[in-house]
Amino acid sequence: MAEDDGRIVIMPGLAIHRDEITETFVRAGGPGGQNVNKVSSAVELRFDLTNSTSLPAAVKARAARIAGRRLTREDVIVIAAQRFRDQPRNRADALARLVAILRAAADPPVPRRPTRPTPASRHARLEGKQRRARIKILRARPVEH
């Protein structure tokens, strides 16, 4: 994840502006000693997908799907980072996680090529069906003459 002139490079040919990201700092739970109640070391990073001018529509759609429950109703990706005890490392962690989502979304999925079943697989399927049919016939009540 490289930065140049206020842009965060996702991959060659795709970058987002630094000002499209908002960060808020809150007090983190977990370890921190005497500092934990005084320092806001946890980071909540927000990236507005809908209003982003840097990303193509297809990438936005895939990013929304990949983000899952981190996506709000307003199409804002929210990433909370509190893994580390200091703010700069949490900021870098949150940004790295956003870049990972966008990088995965930038890769278009490989289209599925339909294939035909092989003769062996067709034969195996029919064998299985015949085997099940024989088992069910054995379960039936005997026919009285």
Side-chain angles (χ1 to χ4, degrees), residues 40-134:
S40 297
S41 60
V43 177
E44 187 181 84
L45 182 141
R46 294 175 162 270
F47 178 71
D48 191 350
L49 268 178
T50 307
N51 297 321
S52 174
T53 56
S54 308
L55 299 176
V59 173
K60 287 180 186 181
R62 286 193 297 267
R65 197 170 58 248
I66 292 169
R69 62 187 186 90
R70 290 174 291 228
L71 191 71
T72 66
R73 285 194 185 99
E74 296 80 32
D75 282 344
V76 175
I77 296 176
V78 179
I79 297 173
Q82 59 180 20
R83 194 179 304 174
F84 302 104
R85 285 171 60 163
D86 57 87
Q87 195 180 85
R89 284 177 28 184
N90 281 330
R91 285 180 76 189
D93 181 41
L95 187 59
R97 284 162 45 194
L98 174 68
V99 168
I101 290 171
L102 296 179
R103 205 170 270 159
D107 254 351
V110 178
R112 182 189 177 279
R113 289 198 181 89
T115 58
R116 293 174 56 191
T118 63
S121 69
R122 222 177 284 135
H123 179 73
R125 188 181 114 259
L126 293 176
E127 281 288 318
K129 287 167 77 76
Q130 287 174 355
R131 203 174 311 118
R132 293 290 304 156
R134 280 193 297 273

Side-chain angles (χ1 to χ4, degrees), residues 2-24:
E3 273 191 61
D4 60 347
D5 66 348
R7 295 170 56 85
I8 300 162
V9 178
I10 305 301
M11 60 188 342
L14 185 65
I16 58 172
H17 293 282
R18 165 80 54 198
D19 57 354
E20 290 183 274
I21 295 171
T22 57
E23 294 174 326
T24 52

